[in-house]
PDB file of all heavy atoms in Angstrom:
ATOM      1  N   GLN A  95       3.115 -34.594  -5.394  1.00  0.00           N
ATOM      2  CA  GLN A  95       3.031 -35.941  -5.779  1.00  0.00           C
ATOM      3  C   GLN A  95       4.115 -36.809  -5.090  1.00  0.00           C
ATOM      4  O   GLN A  95       5.224 -36.303  -4.952  1.00  0.00           O
ATOM      5  CB  GLN A  95       3.444 -36.043  -7.255  1.00  0.00           C
ATOM      6  CG  GLN A  95       2.223 -36.059  -8.164  1.00  0.00           C
ATOM      7  CD  GLN A  95       1.932 -37.450  -8.494  1.00  0.00           C
ATOM      8  OE1 GLN A  95       2.783 -38.397  -8.620  1.00  0.00           O
ATOM      9  NE2 GLN A  95       0.476 -37.790  -8.576  1.00  0.00           N
ATOM     10  N   LEU A  96       3.782 -37.900  -4.585  1.00  0.00           N
ATOM     11  CA  LEU A  96       4.591 -38.673  -3.756  1.00  0.00           C
ATOM     12  C   LEU A  96       4.730 -40.049  -4.169  1.00  0.00           C
ATOM     13  O   LEU A  96       3.850 -40.833  -4.370  1.00  0.00           O
ATOM     14  CB  LEU A  96       4.087 -38.724  -2.266  1.00  0.00           C
ATOM     15  CG  LEU A  96       4.994 -39.480  -1.170  1.00  0.00           C
ATOM     16  CD1 LEU A  96       6.358 -38.955  -1.283  1.00  0.00           C
ATOM     17  CD2 LEU A  96       4.276 -39.280   0.148  1.00  0.00           C
ATOM     18  N   GLN A  97       6.104 -40.415  -4.607  1.00  0.00           N
ATOM     19  CA  GLN A  97       6.263 -41.865  -4.993  1.00  0.00           C
ATOM     20  C   GLN A  97       6.349 -42.796  -3.719  1.00  0.00           C
ATOM     21  O   GLN A  97       6.816 -42.260  -2.572  1.00  0.00           O
ATOM     22  CB  GLN A  97       7.664 -41.901  -5.628  1.00  0.00           C
ATOM     23  CG  GLN A  97       7.741 -41.120  -6.935  1.00  0.00           C
ATOM     24  CD  GLN A  97       9.283 -41.086  -7.453  1.00  0.00           C
ATOM     25  OE1 GLN A  97      10.253 -40.905  -6.755  1.00  0.00           O
ATOM     26  NE2 GLN A  97       9.383 -41.178  -8.798  1.00  0.00           N
ATOM     27  N   THR A  98       5.876 -43.906  -3.991  1.00  0.00           N
ATOM     28  CA  THR A  98       5.741 -44.844  -2.903  1.00  0.00           C
ATOM     29  C   THR A  98       7.108 -45.120  -2.230  1.00  0.00           C
ATOM     30  O   THR A  98       7.183 -45.345  -0.949  1.00  0.00           O
ATOM     31  CB  THR A  98       5.225 -46.219  -3.369  1.00  0.00           C
ATOM     32  OG1 THR A  98       4.031 -45.883  -4.003  1.00  0.00           O
ATOM     33  CG2 THR A  98       4.843 -47.133  -2.201  1.00  0.00           C
ATOM     34  N   ASN A  99       8.191 -45.247  -2.992  1.00  0.00           N
ATOM     35  CA  ASN A  99       9.558 -45.395  -2.398  1.00  0.00           C
ATOM     36  C   ASN A  99      10.108 -44.226  -1.563  1.00  0.00           C
ATOM     37  O   ASN A  99      11.098 -44.315  -1.002  1.00  0.00           O
ATOM     38  CB  ASN A  99      10.590 -45.871  -3.430  1.00  0.00           C
ATOM     39  CG  ASN A  99      10.795 -44.837  -4.550  1.00  0.00           C
ATOM     40  OD1 ASN A  99      10.312 -43.713  -4.369  1.00  0.00           O
ATOM     41  ND2 ASN A  99      11.594 -45.134  -5.546  1.00  0.00           N
ATOM     42  N   LYS A 100       9.271 -43.204  -1.496  1.00  0.00           N
ATOM     43  CA  LYS A 100       9.750 -41.945  -0.672  1.00  0.00           C
ATOM     44  C   LYS A 100       8.898 -41.986   0.597  1.00  0.00           C
ATOM     45  O   LYS A 100       9.222 -41.148   1.462  1.00  0.00           O
ATOM     46  CB  LYS A 100       9.505 -40.796  -1.438  1.00  0.00           C
ATOM     47  CG  LYS A 100      10.294 -40.602  -2.727  1.00  0.00           C
ATOM     48  CD  LYS A 100      11.787 -40.334  -2.351  1.00  0.00           C
ATOM     49  CE  LYS A 100      12.739 -40.405  -3.621  1.00  0.00           C
ATOM     50  NZ  LYS A 100      12.309 -39.473  -4.725  1.00  0.00           N
ATOM     51  N   ALA A 101       8.039 -42.927   0.831  1.00  0.00           N
ATOM     52  CA  ALA A 101       7.192 -42.854   1.992  1.00  0.00           C
ATOM     53  C   ALA A 101       8.040 -42.887   3.300  1.00  0.00           C
ATOM     54  O   ALA A 101       7.715 -42.082   4.229  1.00  0.00           O
ATOM     55  CB  ALA A 101       6.168 -44.005   1.953  1.00  0.00           C
ATOM     56  N   LYS A 102       9.133 -43.803   3.354  1.00  0.00           N
ATOM     57  CA  LYS A 102       9.888 -43.819   4.523  1.00  0.00           C
ATOM     58  C   LYS A 102      10.521 -42.569   4.934  1.00  0.00           C
ATOM     59  O   LYS A 102      10.496 -42.128   6.069  1.00  0.00           O
ATOM     60  CB  LYS A 102      10.913 -44.889   4.230  1.00  0.00           C
ATOM     61  CG  LYS A 102      11.536 -45.483   5.648  1.00  0.00           C
ATOM     62  CD  LYS A 102      12.449 -46.654   5.300  1.00  0.00           C
ATOM     63  CE  LYS A 102      13.377 -46.857   6.506  1.00  0.00           C
ATOM     64  NZ  LYS A 102      14.548 -47.607   6.045  1.00  0.00           N
ATOM     65  N   SER A 103      11.177 -41.849   3.975  1.00  0.00           N
ATOM     66  CA  SER A 103      11.805 -40.641   4.093  1.00  0.00           C
ATOM     67  C   SER A 103      10.804 -39.581   4.602  1.00  0.00           C
ATOM     68  O   SER A 103      11.137 -38.866   5.617  1.00  0.00           O
ATOM     69  CB  SER A 103      12.418 -40.167   2.817  1.00  0.00           C
ATOM     70  OG  SER A 103      12.991 -38.861   2.968  1.00  0.00           O
ATOM     71  N   VAL A 104       9.657 -39.535   3.950  1.00  0.00           N
ATOM     72  CA  VAL A 104       8.637 -38.447   4.274  1.00  0.00           C
ATOM     73  C   VAL A 104       8.189 -38.675   5.836  1.00  0.00           C
ATOM     74  O   VAL A 104       7.897 -37.764   6.494  1.00  0.00           O
ATOM     75  CB  VAL A 104       7.507 -38.487   3.327  1.00  0.00           C
ATOM     76  CG1 VAL A 104       6.264 -37.596   3.781  1.00  0.00           C
ATOM     77  CG2 VAL A 104       7.888 -37.938   2.043  1.00  0.00           C
ATOM     78  N   ALA A 105       7.936 -39.926   6.176  1.00  0.00           N
ATOM     79  CA  ALA A 105       7.463 -40.279   7.423  1.00  0.00           C
ATOM     80  C   ALA A 105       8.442 -39.767   8.492  1.00  0.00           C
ATOM     81  O   ALA A 105       8.037 -39.631   9.716  1.00  0.00           O
ATOM     82  CB  ALA A 105       7.201 -41.769   7.657  1.00  0.00           C
ATOM     83  N   ALA A 106       9.691 -39.619   8.159  1.00  0.00           N
ATOM     84  CA  ALA A 106      10.614 -39.145   9.095  1.00  0.00           C
ATOM     85  C   ALA A 106      10.501 -37.750   9.564  1.00  0.00           C
ATOM     86  O   ALA A 106      11.045 -37.308  10.729  1.00  0.00           O
ATOM     87  CB  ALA A 106      12.051 -39.393   8.693  1.00  0.00           C
ATOM     88  N   TYR A 107       9.914 -36.878   8.817  1.00  0.00           N
ATOM     89  CA  TYR A 107       9.731 -35.410   9.167  1.00  0.00           C
ATOM     90  C   TYR A 107       8.326 -34.941   8.997  1.00  0.00           C
ATOM     91  O   TYR A 107       8.014 -33.911   9.582  1.00  0.00           O
ATOM     92  CB  TYR A 107      10.710 -34.599   8.337  1.00  0.00           C
ATOM     93  CG  TYR A 107      10.568 -34.636   6.913  1.00  0.00           C
ATOM     94  CD1 TYR A 107       9.524 -33.974   6.136  1.00  0.00           C
ATOM     95  CD2 TYR A 107      11.248 -35.555   6.041  1.00  0.00           C
ATOM     96  CE1 TYR A 107       9.319 -34.072   4.759  1.00  0.00           C
ATOM     97  CE2 TYR A 107      11.109 -35.577   4.623  1.00  0.00           C
ATOM     98  CZ  TYR A 107      10.086 -34.894   4.120  1.00  0.00           C
ATOM     99  OH  TYR A 107       9.822 -35.060   2.758  1.00  0.00           O
ATOM    100  N   ALA A 108       7.397 -35.543   8.292  1.00  0.00           N
ATOM    101  CA  ALA A 108       6.140 -34.923   7.981  1.00  0.00           C
ATOM    102  C   ALA A 108       5.137 -35.078   9.094  1.00  0.00           C
ATOM    103  O   ALA A 108       4.969 -36.119   9.732  1.00  0.00           O
ATOM    104  CB  ALA A 108       5.602 -35.515   6.641  1.00  0.00           C
ATOM    105  N   HIS A 109       4.442 -33.989   9.312  1.00  0.00           N
ATOM    106  CA  HIS A 109       3.302 -33.973  10.284  1.00  0.00           C
ATOM    107  C   HIS A 109       2.062 -34.491   9.379  1.00  0.00           C
ATOM    108  O   HIS A 109       1.121 -35.122   9.993  1.00  0.00           O
ATOM    109  CB  HIS A 109       3.141 -32.583  10.720  1.00  0.00           C
ATOM    110  CG  HIS A 109       1.723 -32.329  11.418  1.00  0.00           C
ATOM    111  ND1 HIS A 109       1.498 -32.751  12.713  1.00  0.00           N
ATOM    112  CD2 HIS A 109       0.602 -31.765  10.874  1.00  0.00           C
ATOM    113  CE1 HIS A 109       0.205 -32.410  13.043  1.00  0.00           C
ATOM    114  NE2 HIS A 109      -0.303 -31.826  12.006  1.00  0.00           N
TER     115      HIS A 109
END
Side-chain angles (χ1 to χ4, degrees):
Q95 261 272 320
L96 181 52
Q97 291 174 325
T98 307
N99 64 4
K100 299 285 170 61
K102 195 173 163 201
S103 172
V104 169
Y107 59 83
H109 167 80

